[in-house]
Amino acid sequence: MTIQTPETDHRRRHASPRRGRHRRTAAAAPEVFSRGFDALGRLAMQGVQVSARATDLSTGEVLFSVDDHVVMPTASIGKVLLLVEVAARLQSRQLSPLAQLDRAPQDTAGESGIWQHLQVPALPVADLAALVGATSDNLATNVLLRRVGLEAVSARTESLGLTRTALLDLVRDHRGPDDAPQLSVGSANELTWLFSALARGEVVDAATSRQVISWLSLNSDFSLVSSAFGLDPHSHRHPEHGILLVNKTGTDAGVRSEVGVLRGPRAGVTYAVSTYFDDTALPARLSVIDGMRTVGLDLLEYVF
């Protein structure tokens, strides 16, 4: 699946060559990434569709990649694009952080998030964005999306030069034939660029990037790649043993995806790992999660 949008100079600068779809660089000692690389290879042999990429945060060097150009379902990771649009509007004063937004029946979506379990009928924009960053709150996502509009999020995404990454729809409990088949899609190539640019303060402007990073730093889902980092999912906004993480996960039936920036005493790395698989049996799901954690162990070794 490819999202067709006009090619831009910005996108061309950050696109990676399509040759050598599976690679580890010589600059990184082969043993550093061999476990994760082999784990992803085993998943692929089991029929799991895999896409991954890791780059050095300082140099931009590609440390390893596996089909990083492929467009994959990424579930809730697309909510980052909504947060970028909201943060940009706060900085331009098109939107007030204290503006109260009411929830409506059409915004209802189950699964992730806590607002659906609270009694308060309205929350400020900034609080809703914090809920999205902290718990990937589906109800908060839909309320914010109703306020800013999916078209505006799509336009912002295109303005960043992203052609293979998009938020396609609002969150739905059930997807019909007339709905987008996935909440979001993305390529590991573009997702690592996006998070690196956020970390450098280059998405829209420095203030917008800082705001998005602040919301994402609240994330409490460390169930995939980041399960290897040994951090407290509920308290990790300051370095623990020299390790600092900002990440976003995406989880749906047959989808496990994570993108993040991991900093350590020795180095920093931006990573993205997405998997798409037959989620009809628990062992298949556990195998995917274990493979993603193995990638995390290699990333931790690189930065630590």
PDB file of all heavy atoms in Angstrom, residues 29-54:
ATOM      1  N   ALA A  29      29.570  -2.420  15.164  1.00  0.00           N
ATOM      2  CA  ALA A  29      30.092  -3.780  15.275  1.00  0.00           C
ATOM      3  C   ALA A  29      28.985  -4.776  14.985  1.00  0.00           C
ATOM      4  O   ALA A  29      27.888  -4.668  15.528  1.00  0.00           O
ATOM      5  CB  ALA A  29      30.647  -3.993  16.687  1.00  0.00           C
ATOM      6  N   PRO A  30      29.214  -5.774  14.120  1.00  0.00           N
ATOM      7  CA  PRO A  30      28.156  -6.693  13.710  1.00  0.00           C
ATOM      8  C   PRO A  30      27.453  -7.358  14.884  1.00  0.00           C
ATOM      9  O   PRO A  30      26.254  -7.587  14.850  1.00  0.00           O
ATOM     10  CB  PRO A  30      28.909  -7.716  12.841  1.00  0.00           C
ATOM     11  CG  PRO A  30      30.102  -6.979  12.319  1.00  0.00           C
ATOM     12  CD  PRO A  30      30.473  -6.027  13.422  1.00  0.00           C
ATOM     13  N   GLU A  31      28.208  -7.676  15.945  1.00  0.00           N
ATOM     14  CA  GLU A  31      27.587  -8.377  17.058  1.00  0.00           C
ATOM     15  C   GLU A  31      26.583  -7.509  17.808  1.00  0.00           C
ATOM     16  O   GLU A  31      25.708  -8.025  18.496  1.00  0.00           O
ATOM     17  CB  GLU A  31      28.663  -8.892  18.012  1.00  0.00           C
ATOM     18  CG  GLU A  31      29.494  -7.819  18.717  1.00  0.00           C
ATOM     19  CD  GLU A  31      30.705  -7.407  17.898  1.00  0.00           C
ATOM     20  OE1 GLU A  31      30.779  -7.765  16.718  1.00  0.00           O
ATOM     21  OE2 GLU A  31      31.579  -6.708  18.464  1.00  0.00           O
ATOM     22  N   VAL A  32      26.684  -6.186  17.674  1.00  0.00           N
ATOM     23  CA  VAL A  32      25.787  -5.302  18.412  1.00  0.00           C
ATOM     24  C   VAL A  32      24.346  -5.498  17.981  1.00  0.00           C
ATOM     25  O   VAL A  32      23.445  -5.550  18.809  1.00  0.00           O
ATOM     26  CB  VAL A  32      26.212  -3.832  18.235  1.00  0.00           C
ATOM     27  CG1 VAL A  32      25.188  -2.904  18.863  1.00  0.00           C
ATOM     28  CG2 VAL A  32      27.583  -3.598  18.855  1.00  0.00           C
ATOM     29  N   PHE A  33      24.102  -5.648  16.686  1.00  0.00           N
ATOM     30  CA  PHE A  33      22.744  -5.745  16.190  1.00  0.00           C
ATOM     31  C   PHE A  33      22.386  -7.133  15.659  1.00  0.00           C
ATOM     32  O   PHE A  33      21.322  -7.310  15.078  1.00  0.00           O
ATOM     33  CB  PHE A  33      22.511  -4.690  15.101  1.00  0.00           C
ATOM     34  CG  PHE A  33      22.536  -3.289  15.627  1.00  0.00           C
ATOM     35  CD1 PHE A  33      23.661  -2.499  15.472  1.00  0.00           C
ATOM     36  CD2 PHE A  33      21.450  -2.767  16.306  1.00  0.00           C
ATOM     37  CE1 PHE A  33      23.696  -1.217  15.991  1.00  0.00           C
ATOM     38  CE2 PHE A  33      21.475  -1.488  16.821  1.00  0.00           C
ATOM     39  CZ  PHE A  33      22.604  -0.704  16.662  1.00  0.00           C
ATOM     40  N   SER A  34      23.253  -8.103  15.866  1.00  0.00           N
ATOM     41  CA  SER A  34      23.010  -9.422  15.296  1.00  0.00           C
ATOM     42  C   SER A  34      21.796 -10.109  15.909  1.00  0.00           C
ATOM     43  O   SER A  34      21.032 -10.782  15.206  1.00  0.00           O
ATOM     44  CB  SER A  34      24.252 -10.306  15.453  1.00  0.00           C
ATOM     45  OG  SER A  34      24.569 -10.488  16.822  1.00  0.00           O
ATOM     46  N   ARG A  35      21.585  -9.948  17.214  1.00  0.00           N
ATOM     47  CA  ARG A  35      20.447 -10.630  17.852  1.00  0.00           C
ATOM     48  C   ARG A  35      19.120 -10.140  17.300  1.00  0.00           C
ATOM     49  O   ARG A  35      18.249 -10.937  16.928  1.00  0.00           O
ATOM     50  CB  ARG A  35      20.483 -10.407  19.371  1.00  0.00           C
ATOM     51  CG  ARG A  35      21.620 -11.077  20.089  1.00  0.00           C
ATOM     52  CD  ARG A  35      21.679 -10.662  21.535  1.00  0.00           C
ATOM     53  NE  ARG A  35      21.845  -9.216  21.669  1.00  0.00           N
ATOM     54  CZ  ARG A  35      22.010  -8.584  22.834  1.00  0.00           C
ATOM     55  NH1 ARG A  35      22.002  -9.262  23.964  1.00  0.00           N
ATOM     56  NH2 ARG A  35      22.184  -7.282  22.870  1.00  0.00           N
ATOM     57  N   GLY A  36      18.942  -8.823  17.268  1.00  0.00           N
ATOM     58  CA  GLY A  36      17.688  -8.281  16.773  1.00  0.00           C
ATOM     59  C   GLY A  36      17.487  -8.557  15.300  1.00  0.00           C
ATOM     60  O   GLY A  36      16.373  -8.882  14.852  1.00  0.00           O
ATOM     61  N   PHE A  37      18.573  -8.434  14.508  1.00  0.00           N
ATOM     62  CA  PHE A  37      18.492  -8.687  13.077  1.00  0.00           C
ATOM     63  C   PHE A  37      18.064 -10.130  12.816  1.00  0.00           C
ATOM     64  O   PHE A  37      17.184 -10.402  11.993  1.00  0.00           O
ATOM     65  CB  PHE A  37      19.852  -8.398  12.445  1.00  0.00           C
ATOM     66  CG  PHE A  37      19.807  -8.178  10.966  1.00  0.00           C
ATOM     67  CD1 PHE A  37      19.417  -6.957  10.448  1.00  0.00           C
ATOM     68  CD2 PHE A  37      20.178  -9.186  10.094  1.00  0.00           C
ATOM     69  CE1 PHE A  37      19.388  -6.732   9.081  1.00  0.00           C
ATOM     70  CE2 PHE A  37      20.145  -8.975   8.718  1.00  0.00           C
ATOM     71  CZ  PHE A  37      19.750  -7.749   8.211  1.00  0.00           C
ATOM     72  N   ASP A  38      18.655 -11.063  13.555  1.00  0.00           N
ATOM     73  CA  ASP A  38      18.305 -12.471  13.402  1.00  0.00           C
ATOM     74  C   ASP A  38      16.884 -12.747  13.891  1.00  0.00           C
ATOM     75  O   ASP A  38      16.161 -13.559  13.299  1.00  0.00           O
ATOM     76  CB  ASP A  38      19.297 -13.354  14.162  1.00  0.00           C
ATOM     77  CG  ASP A  38      20.694 -13.329  13.553  1.00  0.00           C
ATOM     78  OD1 ASP A  38      20.830 -12.880  12.393  1.00  0.00           O
ATOM     79  OD2 ASP A  38      21.647 -13.733  14.239  1.00  0.00           O
ATOM     80  N   ALA A  39      16.475 -12.084  14.979  1.00  0.00           N
ATOM     81  CA  ALA A  39      15.125 -12.284  15.503  1.00  0.00           C
ATOM     82  C   ALA A  39      14.070 -11.833  14.503  1.00  0.00           C
ATOM     83  O   ALA A  39      13.053 -12.513  14.297  1.00  0.00           O
ATOM     84  CB  ALA A  39      14.959 -11.525  16.824  1.00  0.00           C
ATOM     85  N   LEU A  40      14.309 -10.693  13.858  1.00  0.00           N
ATOM     86  CA  LEU A  40      13.368 -10.220  12.843  1.00  0.00           C
ATOM     87  C   LEU A  40      13.366 -11.149  11.633  1.00  0.00           C
ATOM     88  O   LEU A  40      12.319 -11.374  11.018  1.00  0.00           O
ATOM     89  CB  LEU A  40      13.711  -8.796  12.425  1.00  0.00           C
ATOM     90  CG  LEU A  40      13.572  -7.718  13.503  1.00  0.00           C
ATOM     91  CD1 LEU A  40      13.930  -6.348  12.936  1.00  0.00           C
ATOM     92  CD2 LEU A  40      12.173  -7.695  14.097  1.00  0.00           C
ATOM     93  N   GLY A  41      14.535 -11.696  11.302  1.00  0.00           N
ATOM     94  CA  GLY A  41      14.608 -12.650  10.203  1.00  0.00           C
ATOM     95  C   GLY A  41      13.803 -13.905  10.492  1.00  0.00           C
ATOM     96  O   GLY A  41      13.118 -14.433   9.607  1.00  0.00           O
ATOM     97  N   ARG A  42      13.857 -14.376  11.737  1.00  0.00           N
ATOM     98  CA  ARG A  42      13.068 -15.561  12.108  1.00  0.00           C
ATOM     99  C   ARG A  42      11.580 -15.270  12.020  1.00  0.00           C
ATOM    100  O   ARG A  42      10.789 -16.119  11.580  1.00  0.00           O
ATOM    101  CB  ARG A  42      13.449 -16.024  13.512  1.00  0.00           C
ATOM    102  CG  ARG A  42      14.812 -16.688  13.595  1.00  0.00           C
ATOM    103  CD  ARG A  42      15.010 -17.387  14.924  1.00  0.00           C
ATOM    104  NE  ARG A  42      15.001 -16.461  16.043  1.00  0.00           N
ATOM    105  CZ  ARG A  42      16.086 -15.836  16.497  1.00  0.00           C
ATOM    106  NH1 ARG A  42      17.257 -16.034  15.901  1.00  0.00           N
ATOM    107  NH2 ARG A  42      16.011 -15.020  17.532  1.00  0.00           N
ATOM    108  N   LEU A  43      11.177 -14.082  12.435  1.00  0.00           N
ATOM    109  CA  LEU A  43       9.764 -13.714  12.321  1.00  0.00           C
ATOM    110  C   LEU A  43       9.329 -13.708  10.859  1.00  0.00           C
ATOM    111  O   LEU A  43       8.243 -14.181  10.519  1.00  0.00           O
ATOM    112  CB  LEU A  43       9.529 -12.340  12.951  1.00  0.00           C
ATOM    113  CG  LEU A  43       9.619 -12.256  14.470  1.00  0.00           C
ATOM    114  CD1 LEU A  43       9.413 -10.807  14.931  1.00  0.00           C
ATOM    115  CD2 LEU A  43       8.586 -13.158  15.137  1.00  0.00           C
ATOM    116  N   ALA A  44      10.179 -13.157   9.999  1.00  0.00           N
ATOM    117  CA  ALA A  44       9.848 -13.117   8.570  1.00  0.00           C
ATOM    118  C   ALA A  44       9.692 -14.525   8.014  1.00  0.00           C
ATOM    119  O   ALA A  44       8.799 -14.791   7.194  1.00  0.00           O
ATOM    120  CB  ALA A  44      10.921 -12.349   7.809  1.00  0.00           C
ATOM    121  N   MET A  45      10.530 -15.455   8.473  1.00  0.00           N
ATOM    122  CA  MET A  45      10.439 -16.840   8.016  1.00  0.00           C
ATOM    123  C   MET A  45       9.132 -17.485   8.481  1.00  0.00           C
ATOM    124  O   MET A  45       8.644 -18.425   7.861  1.00  0.00           O
ATOM    125  CB  MET A  45      11.631 -17.641   8.540  1.00  0.00           C
ATOM    126  CG  MET A  45      12.961 -17.252   7.919  1.00  0.00           C
ATOM    127  SD  MET A  45      13.039 -17.637   6.147  1.00  0.00           S
ATOM    128  CE  MET A  45      13.063 -19.417   6.217  1.00  0.00           C
ATOM    129  N   GLN A  46       8.561 -16.970   9.570  1.00  0.00           N
ATOM    130  CA  GLN A  46       7.295 -17.487  10.090  1.00  0.00           C
ATOM    131  C   GLN A  46       6.080 -16.829   9.428  1.00  0.00           C
ATOM    132  O   GLN A  46       4.947 -17.106   9.800  1.00  0.00           O
ATOM    133  CB  GLN A  46       7.227 -17.259  11.609  1.00  0.00           C
ATOM    134  CG  GLN A  46       8.277 -18.018  12.401  1.00  0.00           C
ATOM    135  CD  GLN A  46       8.396 -17.526  13.841  1.00  0.00           C
ATOM    136  OE1 GLN A  46       7.501 -16.839  14.357  1.00  0.00           O
ATOM    137  NE2 GLN A  46       9.476 -17.892  14.503  1.00  0.00           N
ATOM    138  N   GLY A  47       6.331 -15.957   8.468  1.00  0.00           N
ATOM    139  CA  GLY A  47       5.238 -15.317   7.754  1.00  0.00           C
ATOM    140  C   GLY A  47       4.860 -13.945   8.271  1.00  0.00           C
ATOM    141  O   GLY A  47       3.882 -13.359   7.813  1.00  0.00           O
ATOM    142  N   VAL A  48       5.624 -13.400   9.216  1.00  0.00           N
ATOM    143  CA  VAL A  48       5.364 -12.068   9.747  1.00  0.00           C
ATOM    144  C   VAL A  48       5.946 -11.036   8.782  1.00  0.00           C
ATOM    145  O   VAL A  48       7.101 -11.163   8.359  1.00  0.00           O
ATOM    146  CB  VAL A  48       5.985 -11.893  11.141  1.00  0.00           C
ATOM    147  CG1 VAL A  48       5.758 -10.474  11.674  1.00  0.00           C
ATOM    148  CG2 VAL A  48       5.415 -12.923  12.114  1.00  0.00           C
ATOM    149  N   GLN A  49       5.164 -10.035   8.426  1.00  0.00           N
ATOM    150  CA  GLN A  49       5.704  -8.932   7.632  1.00  0.00           C
ATOM    151  C   GLN A  49       6.423  -7.985   8.586  1.00  0.00           C
ATOM    152  O   GLN A  49       5.855  -7.538   9.586  1.00  0.00           O
ATOM    153  CB  GLN A  49       4.603  -8.190   6.883  1.00  0.00           C
ATOM    154  CG  GLN A  49       5.136  -7.143   5.926  1.00  0.00           C
ATOM    155  CD  GLN A  49       4.056  -6.500   5.072  1.00  0.00           C
ATOM    156  OE1 GLN A  49       2.903  -6.893   5.123  1.00  0.00           O
ATOM    157  NE2 GLN A  49       4.432  -5.503   4.292  1.00  0.00           N
ATOM    158  N   VAL A  50       7.674  -7.686   8.296  1.00  0.00           N
ATOM    159  CA  VAL A  50       8.537  -6.929   9.194  1.00  0.00           C
ATOM    160  C   VAL A  50       9.138  -5.738   8.469  1.00  0.00           C
ATOM    161  O   VAL A  50       9.555  -5.847   7.316  1.00  0.00           O
ATOM    162  CB  VAL A  50       9.678  -7.818   9.747  1.00  0.00           C
ATOM    163  CG1 VAL A  50      10.648  -6.990  10.586  1.00  0.00           C
ATOM    164  CG2 VAL A  50       9.117  -8.969  10.579  1.00  0.00           C
ATOM    165  N   SER A  51       9.165  -4.603   9.139  1.00  0.00           N
ATOM    166  CA  SER A  51       9.876  -3.423   8.637  1.00  0.00           C
ATOM    167  C   SER A  51      10.548  -2.754   9.824  1.00  0.00           C
ATOM    168  O   SER A  51       9.925  -2.598  10.884  1.00  0.00           O
ATOM    169  CB  SER A  51       8.898  -2.461   7.956  1.00  0.00           C
ATOM    170  OG  SER A  51       9.572  -1.287   7.519  1.00  0.00           O
ATOM    171  N   ALA A  52      11.820  -2.379   9.680  1.00  0.00           N
ATOM    172  CA  ALA A  52      12.546  -1.802  10.812  1.00  0.00           C
ATOM    173  C   ALA A  52      13.681  -0.919  10.325  1.00  0.00           C
ATOM    174  O   ALA A  52      14.188  -1.087   9.213  1.00  0.00           O
ATOM    175  CB  ALA A  52      13.098  -2.903  11.718  1.00  0.00           C
ATOM    176  N   ARG A  53      14.063  -0.004  11.186  1.00  0.00           N
ATOM    177  CA  ARG A  53      15.185   0.896  10.888  1.00  0.00           C
ATOM    178  C   ARG A  53      15.691   1.479  12.193  1.00  0.00           C
ATOM    179  O   ARG A  53      14.900   1.775  13.105  1.00  0.00           O
ATOM    180  CB  ARG A  53      14.741   2.007   9.948  1.00  0.00           C
ATOM    181  CG  ARG A  53      15.826   3.009   9.531  1.00  0.00           C
ATOM    182  CD  ARG A  53      15.204   4.043   8.611  1.00  0.00           C
ATOM    183  NE  ARG A  53      16.109   5.110   8.211  1.00  0.00           N
ATOM    184  CZ  ARG A  53      16.828   5.119   7.093  1.00  0.00           C
ATOM    185  NH1 ARG A  53      16.762   4.088   6.263  1.00  0.00           N
ATOM    186  NH2 ARG A  53      17.603   6.139   6.794  1.00  0.00           N
ATOM    187  N   ALA A  54      16.989   1.658  12.287  1.00  0.00           N
ATOM    188  CA  ALA A  54      17.594   2.364  13.413  1.00  0.00           C
ATOM    189  C   ALA A  54      18.689   3.259  12.891  1.00  0.00           C
ATOM    190  O   ALA A  54      19.487   2.849  12.029  1.00  0.00           O
ATOM    191  CB  ALA A  54      18.157   1.380  14.442  1.00  0.00           C
TER     192      ALA A  54
END
